[in-house]
Amino acid sequence: MERKITIEEEVFYKEDYQIRMLKANNLNGVLKMGGRGMNESSYYDYDVSGKISMKAMFARSKISAEDIKLFLRDLINVVREVETFLLNIHCILLKPEYIFYEEGNFFFCYYPLAQQDLWEEFHELTEYFVKEADYQDQECIRMVFLLHKKTMDENYSLEKLAAECMKSVKEEGDMEKGN
C-alpha cells in the first residue's frame, strides 16, 4: 500500500520547470512527488511508503553519531543532486517531519513553493539535533555541538562543515588511542 504525505498551499497551482524536472527524472535522495491544483490551492504529494520520518524515528530513540554521519552524507548528496538538475537547493525541506529514513538512507522533500534559506533551515535542524542527541554518545555530542556552533557563522560551507565534523571526530578518536 502506498503511503503519502501532502503539503497544501493556498496559491494557484502551476506546473513549472521544477515540477516537470522532478516528474521526468528520478533524483537520488529526493522523495517522488506529484503536484496538483484544486479550488485555487496547490497540493504536493510525497510517496513515503516504507519510510519513517526523522521526527517519529527520534521520538523513539536518541540521535547517535552514526545517524548524524548518515544524515550529513545524504544531505550533501541530495544538495549536489538537486544542483545537477539545475533546481533550487533552497526548496529542500529540512524540518524533521519532512525528512524520511529507510534502510540506511535519508530522503528529502523537494517543495517548489518553499520560501526559505537552506542554511538557516539547517541551523534550525542542528538545534533539533542538540535536543534529541544521545548524551551517552561522546562522539555524537561533539558532532552536534560542532554543527550547531558552526552553522551560526555567516556563509558557512555545508560540505566543509560535514568534512570537518567527520574529521574532527576521527582525529580526536585517534588522539585518545595514542596514535
Side-chain angles (χ1 to χ4, degrees):
M1 191 178 100
E2 193 174 278
R3 228 179 91 225
K4 289 185 178 185
I5 63 164
T6 301
I7 301 174
E8 178 184 349
E9 189 90 36
E10 290 199 18
V11 296
F12 187 74
Y13 177 77
K14 70 174 191 271
E15 194 151 304
D16 64 2
Y17 131 88
Q18 295 179 93
I19 303 288
R20 289 192 297 276
M21 186 64 82
L22 289 165
K23 284 182 175 177
N25 298 285
N26 189 7
L27 277 70
N28 291 324
V30 176
L31 292 169
K32 273 287 195 206
M33 184 263 280
R36 57 193 160 88
M38 194 167 62
N39 302 330
E40 296 185 24
S41 286
S42 296
Y43 298 85
Y44 296 88
D45 303 309
Y46 299 88
D47 181 0
V48 296
S49 303
K51 295 170 181 60
I52 183 172
S53 74
M54 178 184 273
K55 187 175 184 174
M57 187 172 157
F58 297 126
R60 296 181 193 160
S61 65
K62 291 296 180 189
I63 297 173
S64 71
E66 203 51 45
D67 296 326
I68 301 277
K69 289 177 191 174
L70 288 175
F71 176 78
L72 289 172
R73 176 202 69 192
D74 292 345
L75 177 59
I76 301 252
N77 288 338
V78 88
V79 166
R80 285 181 188 146
E81 185 81 350
V82 164
E83 287 175 328
T84 299
F85 285 91
L86 305 176
L87 294 168
N88 183 351
I89 62 168
H90 299 289
C91 293
I92 300 167
L93 298 182
L94 291 182
K95 300 254 183 286
E97 59 270 27
Y98 296 122
I99 300 168
F100 289 81
Y101 179 83
E102 179 185 34
E103 297 175 2
N105 294 294
F106 285 95
F107 297 87
F108 300 83
C109 293
Y110 183 91
Y111 183 54
L113 302 180
Q115 302 279 314
Q116 63 178 16
D117 179 272
L118 184 74
W119 316 121
E120 287 171 20
E121 291 296 307
F122 184 62
H123 174 68
E124 285 180 30
L125 186 62
T126 67
E127 290 176 358
Y128 169 80
F129 289 165
V130 168
K131 285 185 210 134
E132 300 300 326
D134 177 356
Y135 282 87
Q136 305 304 308
D137 181 341
Q138 292 299 311
E139 184 180 16
C140 179
I141 294 166
R142 280 193 295 266
M143 289 175 85
V144 296
F145 283 106
L146 175 70
L147 287 170
H148 187 259
K149 182 176 183 275
K150 295 289 187 172
T151 59
M152 287 187 216
D153 297 345
E154 208 172 313
N155 300 325
Y156 67 87
S157 160
L158 190 57
E159 287 196 27
K160 285 180 185 170
L161 180 54
E164 184 181 340
C165 202
M166 305 288 188
K167 185 183 83 176
S168 67
V169 167
K170 185 185 181 314
E171 284 175 358
E172 286 176 33
D174 288 347
M175 288 196 313
E176 286 171 11
K177 292 175 194 152
N179 294 344

